[in-house]
Amino acid sequence: MEFISRPGEIENRSMEIIAPYLKGMNLTEDEKKVYSRIIHAAGDPEYAPIIKIHPEAISSIKSAISAGKNIYADVEMVRTGINKRVLKKFGGEVFCKVSDDEVRKFAEGEKITRSMAAMRIFGKDLKGSVVAVGNAPTALFEVLRLAREEDICPAAIVGIPVGFVGAADSKAELAAQNKIPFITVSGTKGGSPIAVAAINAILYMIDETRGL
Amino acid sequence: MEFISRPGEIENRSMEIIAPYLKGMNLTEDEKKVYSRIIHAAGDPEYAPIIKIHPEAISSIKSAISAGKNIYADVEMVRTGINKRVLKKFGGEVFCKVSDDEVRKFAEGEKITRSMAAMRIFGKDLKGSVVAVGNAPTALFEVLRLAREEDICPAAIVGIPVGFVGAADSKAELAAQNKIPFITVSGTKGGSPIAVAAINAILYMIDETRGL
């Protein structure tokens, strides 16, 4: 077989191919890892100029996870993709409530999306934790509202919802605030694997048992 | 609140925004639904010219699912994203073996990826079923090998692995064969939500309880 089929080798080769797209961008080594893993997950080097990482985001996520804080995800695909093995070492878990009956009922009553209802129900649990939004702009808007109006501030927000209705606006609002360190992508692009890529890149940094 | 927060409305508005990107493409109504849902999932209209749908793919997937056939996925994020409610109505399930111990051991022994090992272990179960590959080129290469060498032919392959090592080649090989109807995307782009979008678009077509 001519194609590469050893997992470590595939990943290393992929990172080599991505490296030239990051030339001249003045990134820290940690930032390079986040950028590379996002571009790898999307198969799309055009992510390079639209990724935005707050200067304290990576260190803040490292500290929170190392201290055993949880990750709160907007959708099940984000929960599924996050590396639970590394997270568990430090005592954290990933939570997602979007499919819970309680959330469905609350969303119907309030006439809001289930993703938004789920974040509102997490409420104070978000304080000091890591929030990962990979799908729903309304979830991100709600997390930003909780920070602004109720002073519920996560340690960091990885906010990369996708699409043509609200996503770009929600990410612009995230990037414009300065209360909470963030990782985002401007415009309409994004999605669960992009949010997962950013989180996993950082989990691997604090997992001494593996490289990249 | 100024943003739209009712789920149905968000989806309809998104589809309206996407429609102009499909103008002049000479697509069937069903194809338009698959294209729209993929572009919606990626937040990226540049998918329009690179999506490839075999003329029998949508009808073949509709028939297989309606007959209660299963979907075999390469990664857990694909399994998570597929709408199980609709699938279950017809008696089908989504299977993914990539995290099974059996698969891990087999992959280590054979020095192949776990995604590839999982497809090899599914083996004859793939016959007449729907295969969904959203991440691993090696899984798609293996499904194509099973068809070519062992005459194990799925009803259709949604093959949209992502990345810079093998993905474009595996998708080119899928599009070049004519034994099995397929849905794919040429080049390096793709991923779990893209494969999920294609499958769910078709599931919604055969679920009379909702529109697109």
Side-chain angles (χ1 to χ4, degrees):
Chain A
M1 278 182 283
E2 287 174 43
F3 52 90
I4 306 177
S5 57
R6 270 162 297 172
E9 202 178 318
I10 293 171
E11 191 163 296
N12 293 340
R13 182 74 195 107
S14 179
M15 296 305 156
E16 277 168 32
I17 293 166
I18 292 165
Y21 294 106
L22 307 181
K23 277 263 166 78
M25 291 193 72
N26 200 23
L27 304 172
T28 66
E29 284 308 306
D30 280 355
E31 284 169 347
K32 271 184 207 165
K33 288 177 185 168
V34 174
Y35 273 65
S36 301
R37 197 160 272 278
I38 286 177
I39 292 170
H40 173 72
D44 184 0
E46 290 176 26
Y47 267 90
I50 57 176
I51 296 168
K52 288 179 202 282
I53 304 184
H54 181 281
E56 282 157 43
I58 297 176
S59 60
S60 183
I61 295 172
K62 282 183 182 177
S63 306
I65 301 297
S66 302
K69 299 292 182 183
N70 296 318
I71 299 177
Y72 293 90
D74 64 333
V75 290
E76 290 293 343
M77 282 183 77
V78 169
R79 170 155 73 177
T80 300
I82 289 173
N83 190 309
K84 265 81 65 184
R85 183 187 58 76
V86 179
L87 197 58
K88 206 175 166 186
K89 272 192 180 181
F90 299 99
E93 281 183 68
V94 192
F95 292 98
C96 175
K97 269 188 189 290
V98 76
S99 305
D100 289 10
D101 260 356
E102 175 197 11
V103 165
R104 188 180 48 74
K105 281 174 202 156
F106 183 70
E108 281 168 9
E110 299 283 320
K111 291 195 168 46
I112 58 176
T113 66
R114 288 189 294 140
S115 325
M116 183 174 241
M119 289 298 167
R120 197 170 299 173
I121 288 173
F122 282 136
K124 286 194 181 125
D125 289 350
L126 302 181
K127 218 170 228 181
S129 75
V130 174
V131 170
V133 175
N135 190 271
T138 53
L140 182 51
F141 278 124
E142 178 64 15
V143 173
L144 291 168
R145 188 196 66 77
L146 287 167
R148 198 175 53 241
E149 295 180 8
E150 305 185 25
D151 203 36
I152 294 172
C153 291
I157 301 172
V158 174
I160 318 184
V162 61
F164 301 93
V165 183
D169 289 347
S170 69
K171 293 184 287 186
E173 190 176 317
L174 174 63
Q177 60 78 44
N178 49 24
K179 249 176 137 172
I180 306 159
F182 60 84
I183 296 177
T184 191
V185 164
S186 56
T188 56
K189 288 188 192 180
S192 305
I194 311 306
V196 165
I199 297 270
N200 283 348
I202 299 169
L203 290 177
Y204 298 146
M205 290 174 205
I206 55 173
D207 178 24
E208 330 76 52
T209 64
R210 62 165 277 172
L212 178 75
Chain B
M1 280 184 279
E2 287 173 41
F3 52 90
I4 306 178
S5 57
R6 269 162 298 172
E9 201 178 322
I10 292 172
E11 191 164 296
N12 293 341
R13 183 73 194 107
S14 181
M15 296 304 156
E16 278 169 30
I17 294 167
I18 292 165
Y21 294 105
L22 307 181
K23 276 263 166 77
M25 290 193 73
N26 199 23
L27 304 172
T28 66
E29 284 308 305
D30 280 356
E31 284 169 346
K32 270 185 207 164
K33 287 177 184 168
V34 174
Y35 273 66
S36 300
R37 198 159 272 277
I38 287 177
I39 291 169
H40 173 73
D44 184 0
E46 290 176 25
Y47 267 90
I50 57 175
I51 296 168
K52 286 178 203 284
I53 304 184
H54 181 281
E56 283 157 42
I58 296 175
S59 59
S60 183
I61 294 171
K62 280 182 180 176
S63 307
I65 300 298
S66 300
K69 299 291 182 182
N70 296 318
I71 300 177
Y72 294 89
D74 65 331
V75 291
E76 291 293 344
M77 281 181 79
V78 169
R79 170 155 72 178
T80 301
I82 289 173
N83 190 310
K84 266 81 64 184
R85 182 187 57 76
V86 179
L87 197 58
K88 205 176 167 185
K89 272 192 180 181
F90 299 98
E93 281 183 66
V94 193
F95 292 98
C96 175
K97 270 189 187 291
V98 76
S99 305
D100 288 11
D101 260 357
E102 177 197 11
V103 165
R104 188 181 48 74
K105 282 175 200 155
F106 183 69
E108 281 169 8
E110 300 283 321
K111 290 193 169 46
I112 58 176
T113 65
R114 286 189 294 141
S115 326
M116 182 175 242
M119 288 299 166
R120 198 171 298 175
I121 288 172
F122 281 136
K124 286 192 181 129
D125 288 351
L126 302 181
K127 218 170 230 182
S129 75
V130 175
V131 170
V133 175
N135 189 271
T138 55
L140 182 51
F141 278 125
E142 178 63 16
V143 173
L144 292 168
R145 190 195 67 76
L146 288 167
R148 198 175 53 241
E149 297 180 7
E150 305 186 24
D151 204 37
I152 294 172
C153 291
I157 301 172
V158 175
I160 318 184
V162 60
F164 301 94
V165 182
D169 290 346
S170 69
K171 292 183 288 185
E173 190 176 317
L174 174 63
Q177 60 79 44
N178 49 25
K179 252 176 134 170
I180 306 159
F182 60 84
I183 296 177
T184 191
V185 164
S186 57
T188 57
K189 289 188 190 180
S192 306
I194 311 306
V196 165
I199 298 270
N200 283 347
I202 299 169
L203 290 177
Y204 298 145
M205 289 174 205
I206 55 175
D207 178 23
E208 331 74 53
T209 63
R210 59 165 278 170
L212 170 70

